[in-house]
Amino acid sequence: MSSAGAIAAEGYEALVQRDRVSSRIFTDEAVFAEEQERIFEGDWVYVAHESEVPQRGDYVTRHLGRQPVIVVRSREGVRVHLNRCRHRGTALCTRPAGNTRFFRCPYHGWTYDNDGTLVGVPYPSGYGADFDKAEMGLQAAPFVEAYRGFVFASVAAPSTSLSEWLGPRVREVMDAFVDASPVGRILVRAGVNRTIFHGNWKYVGMDGYHFNFTHKSINALNERHGKPPIGEYQENAPGRMWDFGNGHCRLDHDELRKGHHTDELIARIRSMEGGPNYLAELESRLGDRMAQTLSRSHDPHLGVWPNLQLLGFHIRLVRPLGPDRTEILAFPTLLEGAPDAVNEERVARHQLLFGPSGFVQPDDHELFERNQLGLQASVNPWIVIARGLDREQVHPDGAISSHVTDETTQRGQMRMWLRQMTRTRGAGDDLAE
Amino acid sequence: MTSLSEAGTATRHDVASFLALEAQLLDTRAFDEWLALWTPDARYRVPGGPATSEGRRIALIDDDRQVLEDRVFRMSHPASHVVDPPPTAVRLVGNVVVEPSDGVALEARSAYVLVVNRLGEQATFAARQRHRLVERDGGLAIAVKQVELTCGEDALRNLTFLP
């Protein structure tokens, strides 16, 4: 283990190069601490979906980097408070989710309303005339913005507006995920898979190269049922890997799935109870965008830097716990206004594939743990991310695409990582006080 | 298959023996014999994750017979990395309480503790389980099994075994 000073002297530029990355950034405690400060507490991160707190007083507890927060539906809308009493610092909420009229500290009884205003201090005569309750409300996450119900927050002044941070290509894919609902809203109300693996958070990228090897047993299962292997990740597959900039990326199967695949998907929905009406509502709302919207919504495979993915039917939230510990929260989403049969199938499909007993995710986590073991061999520390470097296509807006098995996404994420880890920060960036 | 003490009436002893047999088959990864304990219309359910603010939870496992067979296939396939190497495990079933049959099936509630070893690490799990058992061919068969892990709401590493 090396000190932060040693890293600074060496320079992150030496550790993260165009075609290779040093394993130190996956194993080093000092690098992890700086990632938390600069990436997870230095710019936008995803924190919750508005539909998780539908009623006033509904809350969920989350983290912005190392900072525990409460995301609550208040009179004023969705608020993000630091989960810490302003008196002696006690955590106010310990449950993952709930509903409350007030946050009352169990230690000395200080009480806050859902907006974070301090509304009660027991035995107030003990405080002098200069004690101003209005100044002692819960510390709010100072920057909170939402896009299509996805709530992002930042502890420090963010580098741009949320809309600009995401950019048009990311927003377009998020739109498709949400617009498969006939009223244009998803609901995050079906529970959550919480899984943990003993490995670094940056392994949870977008990778089209691993499927046929890591998930070999899925193809074996297909063979057992007389079905062909998964076509998306073959060497001749038409899919594309996208680096959208800002570390955002996508594994794009639009080309493979258009036409026959999507026709089959629509036919299957039509055969479900309520399906024809649902499709008619979608068509009147989306017109000729319906087929692509449905196709994309069934697996957007979008990565929003640094901690959000839309994968299959779920929202995936990545929470780094240490250089070698990561928690993944996977929330299956429902389509508001869609038939029960459609939503039940979404949840059943999600439950089958993801979570600690799923058919897919555990093999990923097993391999992430083996990756962490392998990186202990640091004599030759280089991880190679060169695949596809000579066949990438740069688009006029700066986005880069390449074959679906290429490491364009890894390079894009590493470029963003380096930018955030080396960016010179302004004096006004840090949380006030 | 355990046979019943008296024709047509499963005693608490029969049920406890059956649950012990089931545990041993899982411990020894005798999955085909374990599958043979289930009815064709069986349901195997393990809820997980914390509840939403509205009280809804996800299922870690919610299998009908078909998916259960797929799960067993994957659990024993050499390409499944989570079982390479496979875990070793011992399950202790106890506190068996049997509700009388409603004419179709009887309900058995029990506690179990599972110790799992894999790749040099040991993990302990505890669960309450409910079995809905039907009498079949002079023995018992599982129609429904529901397992409630005490750690089910927490963030879990891969479950490389059948809970």
Side-chain angles (χ1 to χ4, degrees):
Chain A
M1 199 152 306
S2 52
S3 71
I7 295 283
E10 189 177 4
Y12 285 119
E13 281 90 350
L15 300 178
V16 176
Q17 301 178 15
R18 184 164 169 260
D19 61 346
R20 64 182 65 190
V21 176
S22 167
S23 52
R24 273 179 75 182
I25 73 161
F26 298 90
T27 56
D28 192 303
E29 293 277 0
V31 173
F32 180 81
E34 200 160 5
E35 282 178 341
Q36 289 293 296
E37 184 191 327
R38 288 176 161 269
I39 299 175
F40 286 85
E41 299 175 15
D43 215 325
W44 292 118
V45 292
Y46 176 69
V47 66
H49 192 269
E50 284 174 355
S51 66
E52 291 180 76
V53 288
Q55 308 293 332
R56 197 160 140 197
D58 285 347
Y59 70 86
V60 294
T61 51
R62 294 282 150 79
H63 288 80
L64 299 176
R66 296 159 296 193
Q67 312 292 320
V69 296
I70 306 166
V71 181
V72 62
R73 171 81 59 176
S74 79
R75 194 169 44 221
E76 309 288 329
V78 176
R79 288 282 174 273
V80 182
H81 306 300
L82 276 290
N83 188 3
R84 172 190 165 128
C85 180
R86 286 292 303 280
H87 176 216
R88 298 266 195 96
T90 311
L92 296 167
C93 294
T94 51
R95 292 170 193 270
N99 179 284
T100 186
R101 282 186 63 203
F102 298 101
F103 299 112
R104 180 167 287 127
C105 181
Y107 200 172
H108 302 93
W110 284 33
T111 302
Y112 308 83
D113 70 13
N114 291 329
D115 291 326
T117 308
L118 178 63
V119 293
V121 175
Y123 318 150
S125 61
Y127 290 98
D130 60 343
F131 181 80
D132 184 1
K133 276 205 300 198
E135 295 289 308
M136 294 298 279
L138 293 178
Q139 175 68 56
F143 304 93
V144 179
E145 283 186 39
Y147 181 73
R148 302 295 309 258
F150 294 85
V151 182
F152 294 77
S154 182
V155 174
S159 54
T160 62
S161 69
L162 177 64
S163 175
E164 213 175 315
W165 169 262
L166 298 172
R169 287 182 184 267
V170 170
R171 294 199 308 268
E172 186 190 355
V173 181
M174 292 173 82
D175 286 345
F177 191 62
V178 174
D179 284 333
S181 150
V183 295
R185 281 190 297 270
I186 53 166
L187 301 173
V188 183
R189 290 187 197 166
V192 55
N193 279 125
R194 291 179 65 190
T195 48
I196 211 160
F197 65 85
H198 291 185
N200 191 270
W201 66 276
K202 295 188 290 299
Y203 303 144
V204 193
M206 282 286 152
D207 187 316
Y209 194 20
H210 79 299
F211 190 94
N212 288 326
F213 312 98
T214 300
H215 305 298
K216 198 172 174 187
S217 70
I218 293 296
N219 282 334
L221 202 54
N222 275 4
E223 193 181 342
R224 177 173 186 256
H225 291 294
K227 290 196 243 165
I230 304 285
E232 273 81 343
Y233 306 101
Q234 304 297 335
E235 198 173 10
N236 60 356
R240 304 294 287 172
M241 272 305 196
W242 286 92
D243 163 9
F244 289 151
N246 282 354
H248 310 318
C249 54
R250 182 172 182 232
L251 200 157
D252 167 4
H253 296 306
D254 286 357
E255 188 62 27
L256 179 83
R257 291 178 182 167
K258 78 178 184 195
H260 177 65
H261 275 71
T262 307
D263 293 345
E264 271 190 353
L265 169 67
I266 291 173
R268 203 161 48 75
I269 294 171
R270 198 176 300 284
S271 73
M272 293 172 153
E273 193 179 341
N277 190 38
Y278 163 54
L279 289 171
E281 286 176 299
L282 275 189
E283 192 148 27
S284 75
R285 208 178 131 86
L286 302 171
D288 56 10
R289 287 187 299 121
M290 182 180 83
Q292 191 189 58
T293 301
L294 274 174
S295 169
R296 287 181 164 185
S297 78
H298 272 65
D299 180 22
H301 241 107
L302 176 72
V304 181
W305 182 260
N307 71 334
L308 168 68
Q309 295 191 338
L310 303 182
L311 210 69
F313 297 126
H314 74 267
I315 292 172
R316 180 173 291 199
L317 195 165
V318 180
R319 183 187 166 208
L321 301 172
D324 56 0
R325 290 281 188 287
T326 305
E327 181 181 354
I328 304 291
L329 292 99
F331 303 85
T333 61
L334 309 175
L335 301 171
E336 185 173 344
D340 289 347
V342 167
N343 280 326
E344 279 162 20
E345 190 195 54
R346 288 169 75 92
V347 175
R349 183 86 189 143
H350 172 83
Q351 289 178 159
L352 180 66
L353 300 181
F354 301 99
S357 290
F359 281 26
V360 169
Q361 195 180 7
D363 280 328
D364 288 317
H365 288 191
E366 176 74 16
L367 272 290
F368 294 161
E369 295 200 351
R370 288 198 208 179
N371 226 43
Q372 199 71 22
L373 291 177
L375 295 192
Q376 304 308 309
S378 59
V379 172
N380 180 344
W382 296 107
I383 289 165
V384 181
I385 54 168
R387 189 176 166 80
L389 255 176
D390 58 356
R391 58 176 177 182
E392 288 182 338
Q393 188 184 351
V394 180
H395 298 263
D397 65 349
I400 305 169
S401 70
S402 197
H403 185 260
V404 70
T405 62
D406 286 346
E407 285 160 340
T408 304
T409 48
Q410 281 80 5
R411 289 190 288 275
Q413 291 182 324
M414 282 298 114
R415 222 175 38 252
M416 182 59 175
W417 186 90
L418 189 60
R419 199 171 96 202
Q420 289 190 298
M421 294 293 276
T422 55
R423 137 176 120 110
T424 310
R425 299 175 64 180
D429 273 6
D430 292 315
L431 185 59
E433 298 167 327
Chain B
M1 186 74 59
T2 50
S3 57
L4 303 183
S5 310
E6 298 167 42
T9 348
T11 63
R12 184 186 172 282
H13 176 75
D14 294 329
V15 172
S17 299
F18 180 82
L19 296 180
L21 171 70
E22 193 214 346
Q24 280 173 12
L25 292 176
L26 284 173
D27 288 351
T28 54
R29 299 172 58 76
F31 292 127
D32 288 340
E33 287 165 87
W34 180 72
L35 268 179
L37 301 181
W38 294 74
T39 65
D41 60 350
R43 198 85 190 177
Y44 176 31
R45 209 177 134 74
V46 183
T52 64
S53 58
E54 294 165 321
R56 184 160 171 182
R57 294 179 73 194
I58 208 166
L60 304 183
I61 294 175
D62 187 10
D63 292 356
D64 61 15
R65 176 73 194 224
Q66 170 72 60
V67 177
L68 191 53
E69 286 178 16
D70 286 348
R71 187 177 295 282
V72 162
F73 173 84
R74 226 184 74 81
M75 274 291 190
S76 37
H77 196 280
S80 293
H81 306 299
V82 289
V83 288
D84 177 25
T88 54
V90 169
R91 292 161 175 82
L92 260 180
V93 180
N95 301 356
V96 179
V97 175
V98 181
E99 304 288 345
S101 171
D102 58 12
V104 181
L106 61 85
E107 190 121 327
R109 283 177 280 130
S110 58
Y112 88 79
V113 174
L114 168 65
V115 179
V116 190
N117 295 73
R118 182 167 182 264
L119 292 171
E121 291 186 56
Q122 180 163 296
T124 310
F125 296 86
R128 284 178 293 275
Q129 54 179 1
R130 294 171 78 94
H131 286 76
R132 192 165 164 80
L133 303 173
V134 295
E135 292 177 9
R136 186 180 69 179
D137 305 332
L140 293 167
I142 306 168
V144 181
K145 176 178 175 178
Q146 166 119 357
V147 177
E148 186 80 44
L149 292 162
T150 57
C151 60
E153 293 196 14
D154 301 335
L156 298 173
R157 273 173 101 189
N158 283 340
L159 299 182
T160 59
F161 54 88
L162 295 176

